[in-house]
């Protein structure tokens, strides 16, 4: 059953103001408004008092280039040589003037390509990367959050182009629900737009816009960069830094960057980690019965299939498993071909060798989340061990394992039902219920970093 989004009442449409006048303008809104219609049906409005969410999101150009396969560089909003070359390639492909810039015609062609890949319309409304584009005029990015947790949202929108300073806007929206109380609790939006250099210049002013005494979250929808000055400034004052590794262009190196951040004390959360919860729960449940607990230590073969493209979920699941079973990584290698094959060797505590294989499987029907897990098999070279387990997605992802005989020979076969809603906005609305360090995620990330550093490129 799909939940219906609440009606959004615009208390203040986006209004351009000076950056130094943001707080004064917001205060004026709440001093001026006690909204109500002609019949007094709408209750009065009060400002958000739950938390502040800072969203850093480059414009859609790099997302579109990445999703359509033209670009695999950092998502940072900077028009660098790699991005310019990608834009020229798009323009050559579609016989457009080769400007190397994001012209309206170029973006239109990119949206069409992404829409075809995801089976959506060209606006990206139904799940492409473009659907995550933030626009102050359309506050859908915060609908799920505002429904449960009205808050202040500060949107930082880096753009490629000439440095013309930072443009500031303020607005306010209130979700109206059938079971509404006598008062509407509204979201405040502050939108700051400019080049990355311009945003960094005003970085010292941004912490002053966070609501004092309340939790503060940073949703960094770009390539994580421990050396980014603005990132470091904001991470230092926020209770939680949130990323989504399904959007990483270079997952292996970006996961290593996350580990660097953890080592410096940054409290990290990954929305893609939350998507693994059903797989983790079923795996733990498979070895819960007393008769199978001892056989858990007999596992020495792991095979994980995922949708070809982004191995982040597969790497995180393996990192979690290895951290729980105390395996030490000893080798890491990749094989090229139709399948993205990665082979990782571990040593168990009793010095047994454990072999893991991650396989990026080409799929005809690409899902909303790049790199979703399809199936996993846990087994042992010990024929007496009762540890064989196959878990696969509800979409019938065990085909490769069945052709290898793995499903039939396994002692336990289970089917995982994916999260009912995997979109980042919905997962984010759950993530903001907690903050601080996530020990299990950090321990898993530490193991991932160890075997990624063994990569013999």
């Amino acid at each position: 059953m799909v939940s219906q989004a609440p009606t959004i009442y615009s208390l203040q449409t986006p209004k351009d103001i000076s950056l130094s006048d943001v707080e004064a303008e917001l205060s004026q809104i709440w001093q001026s408004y006690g909204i109500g219609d002609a019949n007094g049906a709408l209750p009065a409005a009060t400002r958000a008092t739950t938390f502040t969410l800072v969203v850093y999101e480059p414009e859609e150009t790099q997302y579109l280039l990445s999703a359509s396969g033209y670009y695999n560089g950092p998502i940072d909003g900077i028009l660098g040589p790699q991005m310019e070359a990608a834009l020229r390639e798009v323009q050559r492909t579609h016989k457009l003037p080769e400007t190397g810039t994001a012209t309206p015609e170029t973006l239109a062609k990119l949206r069409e390509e992404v829409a075809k890949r995801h089976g959506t319309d060209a606006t990206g409304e139904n799940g492409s990367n473009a659907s995550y584009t933030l626009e102050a005029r359309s506050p859908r990015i915060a609908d799920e959050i505002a429904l449960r947790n009205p808050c202040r949202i500060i949107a930082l929108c880096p753009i490629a182009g000439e440095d013309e300073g930072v443009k500031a806007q303020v607005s306010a929206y209130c979700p109206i629900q059938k079971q509404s109380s006598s008062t509407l609790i509204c979201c405040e939006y502050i939108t700051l737009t400019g080049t990355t250099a311009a945003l960094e210049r005003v970085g010292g002013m941004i912490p002053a816009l966070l609501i004092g005494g309340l939790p503060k979250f940073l949703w960094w929808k770009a390539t994580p960069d421990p050396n980014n000055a603005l990132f470091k400034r904001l991470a230092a004052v926020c209770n939680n830094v949130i990323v989504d590794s399904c959007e990483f262009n270079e997952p292996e190196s970006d996961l290593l960057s996350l580990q660097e951040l953890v080592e410096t004390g940054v409290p990290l959360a990954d929305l893609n980690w939350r998507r693994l919860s059903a797989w983790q729960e079923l795996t733990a449940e498979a070895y819960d019965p007393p008769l199978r607990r001892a056989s858990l230590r007999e596992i020495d073969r792991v095979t994980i299939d995922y949708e070809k493209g982004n191995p982040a979920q597969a790497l995180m699941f393996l990192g979690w498993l290895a951290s729980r079973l105390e395996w030490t990584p000893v080798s890491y290698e990749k094989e090229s071909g139709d399948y993205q094959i990665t082979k990782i060797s571990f040593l168990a505590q009793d010095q047994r060798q454990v072999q893991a294989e991650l396989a990026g499987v080409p799929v005809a029907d690409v899902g909303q989340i790049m790199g979703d897990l399809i199936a996993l098999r846990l087994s042992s070279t010990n024929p007496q061990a009762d540890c064989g387990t196959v878990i696969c997605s509800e979409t019938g992802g065990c085909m490769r394992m069945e052709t290898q005989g793995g499903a039939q020979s396994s002692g336990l076969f289970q089917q995982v039902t994916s999260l009912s809603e995997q979109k980042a906005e919905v997962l984010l609305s759950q993530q903001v219920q907690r903050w601080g360090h996530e020990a299990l995620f950090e321990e898993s990330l530490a193991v991932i970093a160890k075997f990624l550093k063994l990569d013999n490129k």
Side-chain angles (χ1 to χ4, degrees):
M1 184 181 205
V2 179
S3 59
Q4 188 172 358
T7 301
I8 300 293
Y9 183 90
S10 176
L11 192 66
Q12 168 66 63
T13 56
K15 178 181 179 181
D16 294 342
I17 60 168
S18 166
L19 182 58
S20 59
D21 293 335
V22 167
E23 281 292 357
E25 181 65 31
L26 287 171
S27 296
Q28 180 62 32
I29 292 173
W30 303 114
Q31 290 172 9
S32 318
Y33 280 94
I35 64 171
D37 61 13
N39 301 318
L42 288 175
T46 58
R47 68 195 308 176
T49 55
T50 49
F51 57 83
T52 303
L53 172 65
V54 182
V55 184
Y56 181 91
E57 180 177 26
E59 62 177 344
E60 66 176 335
T61 305
Q62 286 177 328
Y63 290 108
L64 292 171
L65 286 168
S66 171
S68 52
Y70 291 99
Y71 177 80
N72 62 1
I75 305 294
D76 53 14
I78 299 174
L79 180 60
Q82 193 174 353
M83 183 177 169
E84 183 176 340
L87 286 166
R88 290 185 184 279
E89 185 181 349
V90 176
Q91 289 160 348
R92 278 194 300 272
T93 300
H94 294 284
K95 297 180 172 55
L96 299 172
E98 291 186 34
T99 63
T101 59
T103 63
E105 295 79 12
T106 306
L107 291 177
K109 291 296 182 183
L110 282 170
R111 292 189 191 105
E112 288 177 11
E113 286 198 30
V114 172
K116 287 177 182 176
R117 288 189 177 216
H118 290 266
T120 65
D121 58 48
T123 64
E125 289 288 337
N126 297 319
S128 71
N129 285 342
S131 70
Y132 295 149
T133 299
L134 179 64
E135 297 178 14
R137 296 183 303 278
S138 176
R140 63 172 178 257
I141 193 173
D143 285 354
E144 289 290 338
I145 304 166
L147 178 60
R148 301 174 181 85
N149 306 285
C151 60
R152 173 177 291 187
I153 295 177
I154 303 174
L156 308 179
C157 305
I159 58 174
E162 293 185 13
D163 189 342
E164 298 179 351
V166 174
K167 176 183 176 182
Q169 286 186 331
V170 295
S171 53
Y173 298 91
C174 315
I176 300 175
Q177 305 175 58
K178 291 181 179 178
Q179 65 274 25
S180 61
S181 61
S182 58
T183 302
L184 289 177
I185 309 297
C186 306
C187 265
E188 301 174 338
Y189 290 76
I190 303 168
T191 305
L192 306 180
T193 305
T195 63
T196 53
L199 289 173
E200 285 178 9
R201 282 200 307 274
V202 302
M205 301 177 67
I206 296 173
L209 300 177
L210 308 178
I211 302 176
L214 296 177
K216 303 165 184 66
F217 298 91
L218 171 61
W219 187 14
W220 192 262
K221 299 182 66 180
T223 298
D225 182 2
N227 299 314
N228 182 292
L230 182 58
F231 176 88
K232 288 195 290 187
R233 186 187 295 272
L234 294 174
V237 296
C238 287
N239 302 94
N240 214 193
V241 176
I242 303 167
V243 298
D244 192 347
S245 59
C246 85
E247 299 282 359
F248 288 175
N249 263 353
E250 299 173 302
E252 290 92 343
S253 60
D254 291 342
L255 287 172
L256 284 173
S257 294
L258 291 189
Q259 176 58 18
E260 284 184 49
L261 293 169
V262 169
E263 290 173 353
T264 63
V266 173
L268 272 178
D270 185 351
L271 300 183
N272 215 21
W273 170 261
R274 296 185 65 87
R275 297 186 182 101
L276 292 175
S277 60
W279 294 90
Q280 293 167 327
E281 289 168 9
L282 265 188
T283 304
E285 182 183 302
Y287 297 97
D288 236 9
L291 293 177
R292 294 202 95 211
R293 288 178 192 169
S295 65
L296 185 60
R297 295 292 173 180
E298 295 288 340
I299 295 173
D300 59 17
R301 293 293 182 272
V302 180
T303 305
I304 303 175
D305 288 353
Y306 64 94
E307 290 187 11
K308 185 177 179 179
N310 184 333
Q313 282 193 20
L315 291 168
M316 286 195 292
F317 183 90
L318 183 60
W320 168 75
L321 187 66
S323 72
R324 297 305 89 199
L325 298 180
E326 300 180 283
W327 295 342
T328 302
V330 293
S331 71
Y332 182 97
E333 59 184 55
K334 296 182 189 178
E335 297 178 5
S336 58
D338 291 338
Y339 287 73
Q340 291 176 335
I341 302 294
T342 303
K343 295 183 177 180
I344 307 167
S345 298
F346 299 87
L347 275 181
Q349 280 191 306
D350 60 2
Q351 299 304 302
R352 287 181 305 110
Q353 285 198 342
V354 179
Q355 302 295 330
E357 178 183 287
L358 311 183
V361 180
V363 292
D365 185 16
V366 179
Q368 290 183 4
I369 306 303
M370 184 73 72
D372 259 346
L373 291 195
I374 297 174
L376 65 92
R377 180 176 70 224
L378 308 175
S379 59
S380 175
T381 53
N382 177 5
Q384 306 303 317
D386 178 27
C387 65
T389 300
V390 171
I391 303 175
C392 65
S393 68
E394 58 187 349
T395 55
C398 284
M399 290 300 294
R400 193 174 83 96
M401 292 185 176
E402 287 172 355
T403 57
Q404 295 177 350
Q408 291 89 337
S409 63
S410 295
L412 182 65
F413 184 93
Q414 299 189 77
Q415 187 177 78
V416 66
T417 301
S418 62
L419 294 177
S420 58
E421 182 55 83
Q422 296 203 79
K423 287 184 179 179
E425 287 83 350
V426 181
L427 295 176
L428 184 69
S429 72
Q430 300 166 2
Q431 184 62 47
V432 294
Q433 303 295 326
R434 64 184 79 179
W435 55 87
H437 292 274
E438 294 190 27
L440 193 56
F441 171 62
E442 292 183 357
E443 290 171 14
S444 304
L445 198 58
V447 175
I448 294 169
K450 287 179 181 178
F451 60 67
L452 287 179
K453 289 176 181 178
L454 296 170
D455 188 7
N456 298 318
K457 293 185 178 179

